[in-house]
Coordinates of all heavy atoms in Angstrom, one line a residue:
M1253 N 0.4 312.8 203.6 CA 1.8 313.2 203.3 C 2.0 314.0 202.0 O 1.4 313.6 201.0 CB 2.7 311.9 203.2 CG 4.1 312.2 202.8 SD 5.1 310.6 202.7 CE 6.6 311.3 202.0
F1254 N 2.7 315.1 202.1 CA 2.9 315.9 201.0 C 4.2 315.7 200.3 O 5.2 315.5 201.1 CB 2.7 317.4 201.3 CG 1.3 317.7 201.7 CD1 1.0 317.8 203.1 CD2 0.4 318.0 200.7 CE1 -0.3 318.2 203.4 CE2 -0.9 318.4 201.1 CZ -1.2 318.4 202.4
L1255 N 4.3 315.7 199.1 CA 5.6 315.6 198.4 C 5.9 317.1 198.0 O 5.1 317.7 197.3 CB 5.5 314.7 197.2 CG 5.5 313.2 197.4 CD1 5.4 312.5 196.1 CD2 6.7 312.8 198.2
I1256 N 7.0 317.5 198.3 CA 7.5 318.8 197.9 C 8.4 318.6 196.7 O 9.6 318.3 196.9 CB 8.2 319.6 199.1 CG1 7.2 319.6 200.3 CG2 8.5 321.0 198.6 CD1 7.9 320.2 201.5
A1257 N 7.9 318.8 195.6 CA 8.7 318.7 194.4 C 8.6 319.9 193.5 O 7.6 320.7 193.6 CB 8.2 317.5 193.5
G1258 N 9.6 320.2 192.8 CA 9.6 321.3 191.9 C 11.0 321.4 191.2 O 11.9 320.6 191.4
V1259 N 11.0 322.4 190.3 CA 12.2 322.6 189.6 C 13.0 323.8 190.2 O 12.5 324.8 190.4 CB 11.9 322.9 188.1 CG1 13.2 323.2 187.3 CG2 11.2 321.7 187.5
Q1260 N 14.2 323.5 190.6 CA 15.0 324.5 191.2 C 16.3 324.7 190.4 O 16.9 323.8 189.8 CB 15.4 324.0 192.6 CG 14.3 324.0 193.6 CD 14.8 323.8 195.0 OE1 15.7 323.0 195.2 NE2 14.3 324.5 195.9
P1261 N 16.8 326.0 190.4 CA 18.1 326.2 189.8 C 19.2 325.8 190.7 O 19.1 325.8 191.9 CB 18.1 327.7 189.6 CG 17.2 328.2 190.7 CD 16.2 327.2 190.9
K1262 N 20.3 325.3 190.0 CA 21.5 324.9 190.8 C 22.7 325.5 190.1 O 22.9 325.3 188.9 CB 21.6 323.3 190.8 CG 22.6 322.8 191.7 CD 22.4 321.3 191.8 CE 23.2 320.6 192.9 NZ 24.7 320.9 192.7
T1263 N 23.4 326.2 190.8 CA 24.6 326.9 190.2 C 25.8 326.1 190.3 O 26.2 325.6 191.4 CB 24.8 328.3 190.9 OG1 23.6 329.0 190.9 CG2 25.9 329.1 190.3
R1264 N 26.5 325.9 189.2 CA 27.7 325.1 189.1 C 28.8 326.0 188.7 O 28.7 326.8 187.7 CB 27.6 323.9 188.2 CG 26.5 323.0 188.5 CD 26.4 321.9 187.4 NE 27.8 321.4 187.2 CZ 28.0 320.1 187.3 NH1 27.1 319.2 187.5 NH2 29.2 319.6 187.0
R1265 N 30.0 325.9 189.3 CA 31.1 326.6 188.8 C 31.9 325.7 187.9 O 32.2 324.6 188.3 CB 32.0 327.0 190.0 CG 33.1 328.0 189.7 CD 34.1 328.1 190.8 NE 33.6 328.9 191.9 CZ 34.2 329.1 193.0 NH1 35.4 328.6 193.2 NH2 33.7 329.9 193.9
L1266 N 32.2 326.1 186.7 CA 32.8 325.2 185.8 C 34.3 325.3 185.7 O 35.0 324.4 185.2 CB 32.3 325.6 184.4 CG 30.8 325.4 184.2 CD1 30.4 325.7 182.7 CD2 30.3 324.0 184.6
D1267 N 34.9 326.3 186.3 CA 36.4 326.4 186.3 C 36.9 326.9 187.6 O 36.2 327.5 188.4 CB 36.9 327.1 185.0 CG 36.7 328.6 185.1 OD1 36.5 329.1 186.2 OD2 36.7 329.2 184.0
E1268 N 38.2 326.7 187.8 CA 38.8 327.2 189.0 C 39.8 328.3 188.7 O 40.6 328.7 189.6 CB 39.5 326.1 189.7 CG 38.6 325.0 190.3 CD 37.5 325.6 191.2 OE1 37.9 326.4 192.1 OE2 36.4 325.1 191.2
N1269 N 39.7 328.8 187.5 CA 40.6 329.9 187.2 C 39.8 331.2 186.9 O 39.3 331.4 185.9 CB 41.4 329.6 185.9 CG 42.2 328.3 186.1 OD1 43.0 328.2 187.0 ND2 42.1 327.3 185.2
P1270 N 39.7 332.0 188.0 CA 38.9 333.2 187.9 C 39.5 334.2 186.9 O 40.7 334.3 186.8 CB 38.8 333.7 189.3 CG 40.0 333.2 189.9 CD 40.3 331.8 189.3
K1271 N 38.6 334.9 186.2 CA 39.1 336.0 185.4 C 38.8 337.3 186.1 O 38.0 337.3 187.0 CB 38.3 335.9 184.0 CG 38.6 334.7 183.2 CD 37.8 334.5 182.0 CE 38.1 333.3 181.2 NZ 37.9 332.1 182.1
R1272 N 39.4 338.3 185.6 CA 39.2 339.6 186.3 C 37.9 340.2 185.9 O 37.6 340.3 184.7 CB 40.3 340.6 185.9 CG 40.1 341.9 186.6 CD 41.3 342.6 187.0 NE 42.0 343.1 185.8 CZ 43.1 343.8 185.8 NH1 43.7 344.0 186.9 NH2 43.6 344.3 184.7
C1273 N 37.1 340.5 186.9 CA 35.8 341.1 186.6 C 36.0 342.5 186.2 O 36.7 343.3 186.9 CB 34.9 341.1 187.9 SG 33.5 342.1 187.8
P1274 N 35.5 342.9 185.0 CA 35.7 344.3 184.5 C 34.9 345.3 185.3 O 35.2 346.5 185.3 CB 35.2 344.2 183.1 CG 34.2 343.1 183.1 CD 34.7 342.1 184.1
A1275 N 34.0 344.9 186.1 CA 33.2 345.8 186.9 C 33.8 346.2 188.2 O 33.9 347.4 188.6 CB 31.8 345.3 187.2
C1276 N 34.4 345.3 188.9 CA 35.0 345.6 190.2 C 36.5 345.4 190.2 O 37.2 345.8 191.2 CB 34.3 344.8 191.3 SG 34.7 343.0 191.2
G1277 N 37.1 344.8 189.2 CA 38.5 344.7 189.1 C 39.1 343.5 189.9 O 40.3 343.3 189.9
L1278 N 38.2 342.8 190.6 CA 38.7 341.6 191.3 C 38.7 340.4 190.4 O 37.9 340.2 189.6 CB 37.8 341.3 192.5 CG 37.7 342.4 193.6 CD1 36.7 342.1 194.6 CD2 39.1 342.7 194.2
A1279 N 39.7 339.5 190.6 CA 39.8 338.3 189.8 C 38.8 337.3 190.5 O 39.3 336.3 191.0 CB 41.2 337.8 189.8
Q1280 N 37.6 337.5 190.4 CA 36.6 336.6 191.0 C 35.5 336.3 190.0 O 34.4 335.9 190.4 CB 36.0 337.2 192.3 CG 37.0 337.3 193.4 CD 36.4 337.8 194.7 OE1 35.2 337.9 194.8 NE2 37.3 338.0 195.6
A1281 N 35.7 336.4 188.7 CA 34.7 336.1 187.8 C 34.9 334.6 187.3 O 35.9 334.3 186.6 CB 34.7 337.0 186.6
Y1282 N 34.0 333.7 187.6 CA 34.1 332.3 187.3 C 33.2 332.0 186.2 O 32.1 332.6 186.1 CB 33.8 331.4 188.5 CG 34.9 331.5 189.6 CD1 34.7 332.4 190.6 CD2 36.0 330.7 189.5 CE1 35.7 332.5 191.6 CE2 36.9 330.7 190.5 CZ 36.8 331.6 191.6 OH 37.7 331.7 192.6
T1283 N 33.6 331.0 185.4 CA 32.6 330.5 184.4 C 31.6 329.7 185.2 O 31.9 328.8 185.9 CB 33.3 329.6 183.4 OG1 34.4 330.4 182.8 CG2 32.3 329.2 182.3
T1284 N 30.4 330.1 185.1 CA 29.3 329.5 185.9 C 28.2 329.0 185.0 O 28.0 329.5 183.9 CB 28.8 330.6 186.8 OG1 29.9 331.1 187.6 CG2 27.7 330.0 187.8
R1285 N 27.5 328.0 185.4 CA 26.3 327.5 184.7 C 25.2 327.3 185.7 O 25.4 326.7 186.7 CB 26.7 326.2 183.9 CG 25.8 325.9 182.8 CD 26.2 324.6 182.1 NE 26.0 323.5 183.0 CZ 26.6 322.3 182.8 NH1 27.5 322.2 181.9 NH2 26.4 321.3 183.6
V1286 N 24.0 327.7 185.3 CA 22.9 327.4 186.1 C 22.0 326.4 185.5 O 21.4 326.6 184.4 CB 22.0 328.7 186.4 CG1 20.8 328.4 187.2 CG2 22.9 329.8 187.0
D1287 N 22.0 325.2 186.1 CA 21.1 324.1 185.6 C 19.8 324.1 186.3 O 19.8 324.5 187.5 CB 21.9 322.8 185.7 CG 23.1 322.7 184.9 OD1 23.2 323.5 183.9 OD2 24.0 321.9 185.3
Q1288 N 18.8 323.6 185.7 CA 17.5 323.4 186.3 C 17.4 322.0 186.7 O 17.5 321.1 185.9 CB 16.4 323.8 185.4 CG 16.4 325.3 184.9 CD 16.2 326.3 185.9 OE1 15.5 326.1 186.9 NE2 16.9 327.5 185.8
Y1289 N 17.1 321.8 188.0 CA 17.0 320.4 188.5 C 15.6 320.2 189.1 O 15.0 321.0 189.7 CB 18.0 320.2 189.7 CG 19.3 319.8 189.2 CD1 20.3 320.7 188.8 CD2 19.7 318.4 189.2 CE1 21.5 320.3 188.4 CE2 21.0 318.1 188.8 CZ 21.9 319.0 188.4 OH 23.1 318.6 188.0
L1290 N 15.1 319.0 188.8 CA 13.9 318.6 189.4 C 14.2 318.1 190.8 O 15.0 317.2 191.0 CB 13.3 317.4 188.6 CG 11.9 316.9 189.2 CD1 10.8 317.9 189.1 CD2 11.5 315.6 188.5
S1291 N 13.6 318.8 191.8 CA 14.0 318.6 193.2 C 12.8 318.0 193.9 O 11.7 318.2 193.7 CB 14.4 319.9 193.8 OG 15.4 320.5 193.1
L1292 N 13.2 317.1 194.9 CA 12.2 316.5 195.8 C 12.7 316.8 197.2 O 13.9 316.5 197.6 CB 12.2 315.0 195.5 CG 10.9 314.3 196.1 CD1 9.7 314.9 195.5 CD2 11.1 312.8 195.7
F1293 N 11.9 317.4 198.0 CA 12.3 317.9 199.3 C 13.6 318.7 199.3 O 14.5 318.6 200.1 CB 12.5 316.7 200.3 CG 11.2 315.9 200.5 CD1 11.1 314.7 200.0 CD2 10.2 316.5 201.2 CE1 9.9 313.9 200.2 CE2 9.0 315.8 201.4 CZ 8.9 314.5 200.9
F1294 N 13.6 319.6 198.3 CA 14.7 320.5 198.1 C 16.1 319.8 197.8 O 17.1 320.4 197.9 CB 14.9 321.4 199.3 CG 13.6 322.2 199.5 CD1 12.8 321.8 200.6 CD2 13.1 323.2 198.7 CE1 11.6 322.5 200.9 CE2 11.9 323.8 198.9 CZ 11.2 323.5 200.0
I1295 N 16.0 318.5 197.4 CA 17.3 317.9 197.1 C 17.2 317.7 195.5 O 16.3 317.0 195.0 CB 17.4 316.5 197.7 CG1 17.4 316.7 199.2 CG2 18.6 315.7 197.2 CD1 17.1 315.4 200.0
P1296 N 18.2 318.3 194.8 CA 18.2 318.1 193.4 C 18.3 316.7 192.9 O 19.3 316.0 193.4 CB 19.4 319.0 192.9 CG 19.7 319.9 194.1 CD 19.3 319.1 195.3
L1297 N 17.4 316.2 192.1 CA 17.5 314.8 191.7 C 17.9 314.6 190.3 O 18.9 313.9 189.9 CB 16.2 314.1 192.0 CG 15.7 313.9 193.4 CD1 14.3 313.3 193.4 CD2 16.7 313.1 194.2
I1298 N 17.1 315.2 189.4 CA 17.3 315.0 188.0 C 17.6 316.4 187.3 O 16.8 317.3 187.5 CB 16.1 314.3 187.3 CG1 15.8 313.1 188.1 CG2 16.4 314.1 185.9 CD1 14.4 312.6 187.8
R1299 N 18.6 316.4 186.5 CA 18.8 317.7 185.7 C 17.8 317.7 184.6 O 17.8 316.8 183.7 CB 20.2 317.8 185.2 CG 20.5 319.1 184.7 CD 22.0 319.3 184.3 NE 22.3 318.5 183.1 CZ 23.5 318.1 182.8 NH1 24.5 318.4 183.6 NH2 23.7 317.4 181.7
V1300 N 17.0 318.7 184.5 CA 16.0 318.8 183.5 C 16.4 319.8 182.4 O 15.9 319.7 181.3 CB 14.6 319.2 184.0 CG1 14.0 318.0 184.8 CG2 14.6 320.4 184.8
K1301 N 17.3 320.7 182.7 CA 17.7 321.7 181.7 C 19.1 322.1 182.0 O 19.4 322.5 183.2 CB 16.7 322.9 181.7 CG 17.0 323.9 180.6 CD 15.9 324.9 180.6 CE 16.1 325.9 179.5 NZ 17.3 326.8 179.7
Q1302 N 19.9 322.1 181.0 CA 21.3 322.5 181.2 C 21.4 324.0 180.7 O 21.0 324.3 179.6 CB 22.3 321.6 180.4 CG 23.7 322.0 180.6 CD 24.7 321.0 179.9 OE1 24.5 319.8 180.2 NE2 25.6 321.5 179.1
G1303 N 21.9 324.8 181.6 CA 22.0 326.2 181.2 C 23.2 326.5 180.4 O 24.1 325.6 180.1
T1304 N 23.3 327.7 179.9 CA 24.4 328.2 179.1 C 25.5 328.8 180.0 O 25.1 329.5 180.9 CB 23.9 329.3 178.1 OG1 22.6 329.0 177.7 CG2 24.8 329.3 176.9
P1305 N 26.7 328.4 179.8 CA 27.8 328.9 180.7 C 27.9 330.5 180.5 O 27.8 331.0 179.4 CB 29.0 328.2 180.2 CG 28.6 327.0 179.5 CD 27.2 327.4 178.9
F1306 N 28.2 331.1 181.6 CA 28.4 332.6 181.6 C 29.4 332.9 182.7 O 29.6 332.1 183.6 CB 27.1 333.3 181.7 CG 26.4 333.1 183.0 CD1 26.5 334.1 184.0 CD2 25.6 332.0 183.3 CE1 25.9 333.9 185.3 CE2 25.0 331.8 184.5 CZ 25.1 332.8 185.5
L1307 N 29.9 334.1 182.6 CA 30.8 334.5 183.7 C 30.0 335.2 184.8 O 29.2 336.1 184.5 CB 31.8 335.5 183.1 CG 33.1 334.9 182.4 CD1 34.0 336.0 181.9 CD2 33.9 334.0 183.4
L1308 N 30.3 334.8 186.0 CA 29.6 335.4 187.1 C 30.7 335.8 188.1 O 31.5 335.1 188.5 CB 28.7 334.4 187.8 CG 28.0 334.9 189.1 CD1 27.0 335.9 188.7 CD2 27.4 333.8 189.9
C1309 N 30.6 337.1 188.4 CA 31.6 337.6 189.4 C 31.1 337.4 190.8 O 30.0 337.7 191.1 CB 31.8 339.1 189.2 SG 32.8 339.9 190.5
E1310 N 31.9 336.7 191.6 CA 31.5 336.5 193.0 C 31.8 337.7 193.9 O 31.4 337.7 195.0 CB 32.2 335.2 193.5 CG 31.8 334.0 192.7 CD 32.3 332.7 193.3 OE1 33.1 332.7 194.3 OE2 31.8 331.6 192.8
G1311 N 32.5 338.6 193.4 CA 32.8 339.8 194.1 C 31.6 340.7 194.2 O 31.1 341.1 195.2
C1312 N 31.1 341.0 193.0 CA 29.9 342.0 193.0 C 28.6 341.2 192.6 O 27.6 341.8 192.5 CB 30.2 343.1 192.0 SG 30.7 342.7 190.4
Q1313 N 28.7 339.9 192.5 CA 27.5 339.1 192.3 C 26.7 339.5 191.0 O 25.5 339.6 191.1 CB 26.6 339.1 193.5 CG 27.1 338.4 194.7 CD 27.2 336.9 194.4 OE1 26.3 336.3 193.8 NE2 28.3 336.2 194.8
R1314 N 27.4 339.9 190.0 CA 26.7 340.2 188.8 C 27.3 339.4 187.6 O 28.5 339.1 187.6 CB 26.7 341.7 188.5 CG 28.1 342.2 188.1 CD 28.0 343.7 187.8 NE 28.0 344.0 186.4 CZ 28.0 345.2 185.9 NH1 28.0 346.3 186.7 NH2 28.1 345.4 184.6
P1315 N 26.4 339.0 186.7 CA 27.0 338.3 185.5 C 27.8 339.2 184.6 O 27.4 340.3 184.4 CB 25.7 337.8 184.8 CG 24.6 338.7 185.3 CD 25.0 339.2 186.7
V1316 N 28.9 338.7 184.2 CA 29.7 339.5 183.3 C 29.4 339.1 181.9 O 30.0 338.3 181.3 CB 31.2 339.2 183.6 CG1 32.1 340.2 182.8 CG2 31.5 339.4 185.1
D1317 N 28.3 339.7 181.4 CA 27.8 339.4 180.1 C 28.0 340.5 179.1 O 27.5 340.5 178.0 CB 26.3 339.1 180.1 CG 25.5 340.2 180.7 OD1 26.1 341.2 181.1 OD2 24.3 340.1 180.8
D1318 N 28.8 341.4 179.5 CA 29.0 342.6 178.7 C 30.4 342.7 178.1 O 30.9 343.8 177.8 CB 28.8 343.9 179.5 CG 27.3 343.9 180.0 OD1 26.4 343.6 179.2 OD2 27.1 344.3 181.1
F1319 N 31.0 341.5 177.9 CA 32.4 341.5 177.4 C 32.4 342.1 175.9 O 33.3 342.8 175.6 CB 33.0 340.1 177.4 CG 33.7 339.8 178.6 CD1 33.2 340.2 179.8 CD2 35.0 339.2 178.6 CE1 33.9 339.9 181.0 CE2 35.7 339.0 179.8 CZ 35.1 339.3 181.0
Q1320 N 31.4 341.8 175.2 CA 31.3 342.4 173.9 C 30.2 343.5 174.0 O 29.1 343.2 174.2 CB 30.8 341.4 172.8 CG 31.8 340.2 172.6 CD 33.2 340.7 172.2 OE1 33.4 341.7 171.5 NE2 34.3 340.1 172.8
A1321 N 30.6 344.7 173.8 CA 29.7 345.8 174.0 C 28.7 345.8 172.9 O 29.0 345.4 171.8 CB 30.5 347.1 173.9
P1322 N 27.4 346.1 173.2 CA 26.4 346.1 172.2 C 26.6 347.1 171.1 O 27.2 348.1 171.3 CB 25.1 346.4 173.0 CG 25.6 347.2 174.2 CD 27.0 346.6 174.5
V1323 N 26.1 346.8 170.0 CA 26.2 347.7 168.8 C 25.1 348.7 168.9 O 24.1 348.6 168.1 CB 26.2 347.0 167.5 CG1 26.7 347.9 166.4 CG2 27.2 345.8 167.6
Q1324 N 25.1 349.6 169.9 CA 24.2 350.7 170.1 C 22.7 350.3 170.1 O 21.9 351.2 170.0 CB 24.5 351.9 169.3 CG 24.7 351.7 167.8 CD 23.5 352.0 166.9 OE1 22.4 352.1 167.4 NE2 23.7 352.0 165.6
E1325 N 22.3 349.1 170.2 CA 20.9 348.7 170.3 C 19.9 349.6 170.9 O 19.0 349.2 171.7 CB 20.9 347.3 171.1 CG 21.5 346.2 170.3 CD 20.6 345.5 169.3 OE1 19.4 345.9 169.4 OE2 21.1 344.7 168.5
T1326 N 19.9 350.9 170.6 CA 19.1 351.9 171.2 C 19.0 351.8 172.7 O 18.0 352.3 173.3 CB 17.6 351.8 170.6 OG1 17.0 350.6 171.0 CG2 17.6 352.0 169.1
S1327 N 20.0 351.2 173.4 CA 20.0 351.2 174.8 C 20.7 352.5 175.3 O 21.9 352.5 175.6 CB 20.7 350.0 175.3 OG 22.0 349.9 174.8
T1328 N 19.9 353.5 175.4 CA 20.5 354.8 175.8 C 20.8 354.9 177.3 O 21.4 355.8 177.8 CB 19.5 355.9 175.4 OG1 18.2 355.6 175.9 CG2 19.5 356.2 173.9
S1329 N 20.3 353.9 178.0 CA 20.5 354.0 179.5 C 21.9 353.6 179.9 O 22.3 354.1 180.9 CB 19.5 353.0 180.2 OG 19.7 351.7 179.7
R1330 N 22.6 352.9 179.1 CA 24.0 352.5 179.5 C 25.0 353.4 178.7 O 24.8 353.7 177.6 CB 24.2 351.0 179.3 CG 24.4 350.6 177.8 CD 25.1 349.3 177.8 NE 24.2 348.3 178.5 CZ 24.6 347.0 178.7 NH1 25.8 346.7 178.3 NH2 23.9 346.2 179.3
S1331 N 26.0 353.7 179.4 CA 27.0 354.5 178.8 C 28.2 353.6 178.3 O 28.4 352.6 179.0 CB 27.5 355.6 179.7 OG 28.1 355.0 180.9
L1332 N 28.8 354.0 177.3 CA 29.9 353.2 176.8 C 31.2 353.9 177.0 O 31.3 355.1 176.9 CB 29.7 352.9 175.3 CG 28.7 351.9 174.9 CD1 28.7 351.7 173.4 CD2 29.0 350.5 175.5
A1333 N 32.2 353.2 177.4 CA 33.5 353.7 177.5 C 34.4 353.2 176.4 O 34.2 352.1 175.9 CB 34.1 353.4 178.9
V1334 N 35.4 353.9 176.0 CA 36.3 353.5 175.0 C 37.7 353.3 175.6 O 38.2 354.2 176.3 CB 36.4 354.5 173.8 CG1 37.4 354.0 172.7 CG2 35.1 354.8 173.2
C1335 N 38.2 352.1 175.4 CA 39.5 351.8 176.0 C 40.6 352.6 175.4 O 40.7 352.7 174.1 CB 39.8 350.3 175.9 SG 41.4 349.9 176.4
V1336 N 41.5 353.2 176.2 CA 42.5 354.0 175.6 C 43.6 353.2 175.0 O 44.4 353.6 174.2 CB 43.2 355.0 176.7 CG1 42.2 356.0 177.2 CG2 43.7 354.1 177.9
A1337 N 43.7 351.9 175.5 CA 44.8 351.0 175.0 C 44.4 350.3 173.7 O 45.1 350.3 172.7 CB 45.1 350.0 176.0
C1338 N 43.2 349.6 173.7 CA 42.9 348.8 172.5 C 41.7 349.5 171.7 O 41.4 348.9 170.7 CB 42.5 347.4 173.0 SG 40.9 347.3 173.9
K1339 N 41.2 350.6 172.1 CA 40.2 351.4 171.4 C 38.9 350.7 171.3 O 38.0 351.1 170.5 CB 40.7 351.7 170.0 CG 42.1 352.3 169.9 CD 42.1 353.7 170.6 CE 43.5 354.3 170.5 NZ 43.8 355.3 171.6
R1340 N 38.7 349.6 172.0 CA 37.4 348.9 171.9 C 36.4 349.5 173.0 O 36.9 350.1 173.9 CB 37.5 347.4 172.0 CG 38.1 346.8 170.8 CD 38.1 345.3 170.8 NE 39.3 344.8 171.5 CZ 39.6 343.6 171.6 NH1 38.9 342.6 170.9 NH2 40.7 343.2 172.2
T1341 N 35.2 349.3 172.8 CA 34.2 349.9 173.7 C 33.7 348.8 174.7 O 33.8 347.6 174.4 CB 32.9 350.4 172.9 OG1 32.4 349.3 172.1 CG2 33.3 351.5 172.0
F1342 N 33.3 349.3 175.8 CA 32.8 348.4 176.8 C 31.9 349.2 177.8 O 31.8 350.4 177.7 CB 33.9 347.7 177.6 CG 34.9 348.7 178.3 CD1 34.7 349.2 179.5 CD2 36.0 349.1 177.5 CE1 35.6 350.0 180.1 CE2 36.9 350.0 178.1 CZ 36.7 350.5 179.4
D1343 N 31.2 348.5 178.6 CA 30.2 349.1 179.5 C 30.9 350.2 180.4 O 31.9 350.0 181.0 CB 29.7 348.0 180.4 CG 28.5 348.5 181.3 OD1 28.5 349.5 181.9 OD2 27.4 347.8 181.2
G1344 N 30.3 351.3 180.4 CA 30.9 352.5 181.1 C 31.0 352.3 182.6 O 31.7 353.1 183.2
S1345 N 30.3 351.3 183.2 CA 30.4 351.1 184.6 C 31.6 350.3 185.0 O 31.9 350.1 186.2 CB 29.1 350.5 185.1 OG 29.0 349.1 184.6
F1346 N 32.3 349.7 184.0 CA 33.4 348.9 184.3 C 34.6 349.7 184.7 O 34.8 350.8 184.2 CB 33.8 348.0 183.1 CG 32.8 346.9 182.8 CD1 32.9 346.3 181.6 CD2 31.8 346.6 183.7 CE1 32.0 345.3 181.3 CE2 30.9 345.6 183.4 CZ 31.0 344.9 182.2
K1347 N 35.4 349.2 185.6 CA 36.6 349.9 186.0 C 37.8 349.5 185.1 O 38.8 350.2 185.1 CB 36.9 349.7 187.5 CG 35.9 350.3 188.4 CD 36.5 350.2 189.8 CE 35.6 350.9 190.8 NZ 34.4 350.0 191.1
Y1348 N 37.7 348.3 184.5 CA 38.8 347.9 183.7 C 38.2 347.5 182.3 O 37.1 347.0 182.2 CB 39.4 346.6 184.3 CG 40.2 346.9 185.6 CD1 39.5 346.9 186.8 CD2 41.5 347.3 185.6 CE1 40.2 347.2 188.0 CE2 42.2 347.6 186.7 CZ 41.5 347.6 187.9 OH 42.2 347.9 189.1
C1349 N 39.1 347.6 181.3 CA 38.7 347.1 180.0 C 38.6 345.6 180.0 O 39.5 344.9 180.4 CB 39.7 347.6 179.0 SG 39.5 346.9 177.3
P1350 N 37.4 345.1 179.6 CA 37.3 343.6 179.7 C 38.1 342.9 178.5 O 38.3 341.7 178.6 CB 35.8 343.4 179.5 CG 35.3 344.6 178.8 CD 36.2 345.7 179.3
H1351 N 38.5 343.7 177.6 CA 39.2 343.1 176.4 C 40.7 343.0 176.7 O 41.3 341.9 176.5 CB 39.0 343.9 175.2 CG 37.6 344.2 174.9 ND1 36.8 343.2 174.4 CD2 36.8 345.3 175.0 CE1 35.5 343.8 174.2 NE2 35.6 345.0 174.6
C1352 N 41.3 344.0 177.3 CA 42.8 343.9 177.5 C 43.2 344.2 179.0 O 44.3 344.1 179.3 CB 43.5 344.9 176.6 SG 43.2 346.6 177.0
G1353 N 42.2 344.6 179.8 CA 42.6 344.8 181.2 C 43.1 346.2 181.6 O 43.4 346.4 182.7
Q1354 N 43.1 347.0 180.6 CA 43.6 348.4 180.8 C 42.6 349.1 181.8 O 41.4 349.0 181.7 CB 43.6 349.2 179.5 CG 43.8 350.7 179.6 CD 45.2 351.1 180.0 OE1 46.1 350.5 179.7 NE2 45.2 352.1 180.8
R1355 N 43.2 349.8 182.8 CA 42.3 350.5 183.7 C 41.6 351.6 183.0 O 42.2 352.4 182.3 CB 43.1 351.0 184.9 CG 42.2 351.5 186.0 CD 42.9 352.0 187.2 NE 41.9 352.4 188.1 CZ 41.6 351.7 189.2 NH1 42.3 350.7 189.6 NH2 40.6 352.2 190.0
A1356 N 40.3 351.7 183.2 CA 39.5 352.7 182.5 C 39.7 354.1 183.1 O 39.9 354.2 184.3 CB 38.0 352.3 182.4
Ligands
LIG1837 ZN1 32.9 342.1 190.1
LIG1838 ZN1 41.3 347.6 176.1

């Protein structure tokens, strides 16, 4: 008999109040946490590591980790947009300003 054990990630949604995803504009970004569970037969038994909460958009399935635009960390691959309303910068791929919701 084989025991199938291992550590598996388990995604938990921490709130029921979605925020607007700046990438797709849908209010489907939930505070999410990915915990690591020790699993036996694919059933999570013991939480071995608690993850850090982050925003995950369920519309476009991407983590919304770009609310604070990077301070030009030599990342030339991404373009920055400047909000016309609040003048702050954000990821150029976003359709909405993550700071104030102004349409980009
Ligand atoms: Zn989205
Ligand atoms: Zn703004």
